[in-house]
Amino acid sequence: MQKAKTVVEYIEINSKWEKELIFLRELILKTEAKECIKWGAPTYTIKGKNIFGLGAFKNYVGIWFFQGALLSDQKKLLINAQKEKTHAMRQMRFNSLNEINEGDVLFYIEEAIQNQKNGKIVPPRPKDNSPVEIPAELQLVFNSNNLAAAKFQELTKYKQKEYIEHICSAKRELTRSKRIEKIIPLICKGIGLNDKYRNC
């Protein structure tokens, strides 16, 4: 997928939603939020803090609010796209220009801006301090490979769990063994399973 360098370019790339994106952008530009491109998409900030952004997808276009869980959501327009993963962010989705109510959108945007000015943020989830359970097959490798064992312990708990889930999601013993064989060189280099997909 091509990444846009400007908002105009983003709209051109997502021409299917051109009218909706232009309309939403014009509403947003009526506010004091500063426009920029982050992660290849239009993002709007106040004093350098991310407040909301525009997003065009296959089946809808919308606004996502970084601290959307704090919004009053009087019109019940917000959704949590990934309840298990998303703590603070909420989305407002539209399937056509006719669905976009200017007054409603501006109300949500202004509330989000005011929340930021007031320093309101969704408190982070408590850290999971439960010990990481290493699968027996992986522990056998660690017993004979001190470097891999030491490097695994240096990884963040999140990255450790990614590796463990990758192994345990395989139903067949042969598949688990093959996965372990492939990940050991990554672990020895201190690399997380999905590091190549992360921007930073």
Side-chain angles (χ1 to χ4, degrees):
M1 179 71 180
Q2 184 182 349
K3 279 196 172 184
K5 295 180 180 177
T6 67
V7 177
V8 171
E9 192 176 319
Y10 183 85
I11 294 170
E12 289 173 356
I13 292 169
N14 296 283
S15 56
K16 173 184 176 181
W17 301 105
E18 181 180 7
K19 290 178 181 177
E20 291 81 2
L21 287 169
I22 289 172
F23 185 73
L24 289 170
R25 184 190 185 207
E26 287 175 353
L27 291 183
I28 293 169
L29 293 178
K30 290 179 180 180
T31 73
E32 59 192 287
K34 184 180 177 183
E35 183 177 76
C36 60
I37 289 283
K38 290 186 180 182
W39 310 286
T43 306
Y44 300 85
T45 66
I46 294 287
K47 294 183 179 177
K49 298 287 186 181
N50 300 325
I51 311 298
F52 43 82
L54 283 178
F57 301 90
K58 183 179 179 181
N59 298 316
Y60 66 91
V61 63
I63 301 174
W64 72 84
F65 295 87
F66 288 90
Q67 297 288 322
L70 293 172
L71 296 173
S72 58
D73 196 15
Q74 294 179 13
K75 301 284 185 177
K76 304 299 179 194
L77 298 176
L78 301 179
I79 64 164
N80 186 344
Q82 295 178 298
K83 290 184 180 179
E84 297 301 317
K85 296 181 180 179
T86 308
H87 184 47
M89 192 177 288
R90 297 291 184 271
Q91 293 180 344
M92 184 185 288
R93 294 181 178 180
F94 306 102
N95 299 111
S96 70
L97 188 62
N98 295 333
E99 290 183 7
I100 305 172
N101 181 290
E102 180 176 348
D104 290 345
V105 172
L106 279 173
F107 178 85
Y108 279 74
I109 287 171
E110 292 289 0
E111 185 183 358
I113 290 171
Q114 193 58 50
N115 282 346
Q116 176 57 45
K117 286 181 173 181
N118 293 340
K120 290 184 179 181
I121 60 166
V122 176
R125 283 177 173 154
K127 288 187 177 179
D128 179 8
N129 292 318
S130 59
V132 174
E133 292 186 27
I134 299 173
E137 304 97 320
L138 184 58
Q139 188 60 58
L140 282 172
V141 175
F142 287 162
N143 290 345
S144 60
N145 188 329
N146 293 334
L147 175 63
K151 288 290 186 179
F152 186 80
Q153 292 304 319
E154 290 174 9
L155 292 171
T156 62
K157 186 175 284 191
Y158 183 80
K159 291 183 180 183
Q160 289 177 0
K161 287 184 175 181
E162 283 183 334
Y163 275 122
I164 289 168
E165 286 172 10
H166 179 60
I167 295 165
C168 293
S169 63
K171 294 179 181 178
R172 295 173 59 217
E173 187 178 330
L174 179 62
T175 307
R176 288 164 75 110
S177 297
K178 284 183 177 179
R179 287 185 179 182
I180 289 171
E181 190 178 324
K182 286 182 179 179
I183 66 173
I184 290 300
L186 296 175
I187 292 172
C188 288
K189 292 177 183 176
I191 299 171
L193 181 65
N194 297 312
D195 281 2
K196 65 181 178 180
Y197 302 114
R198 296 187 176 101
N199 292 327
C200 55

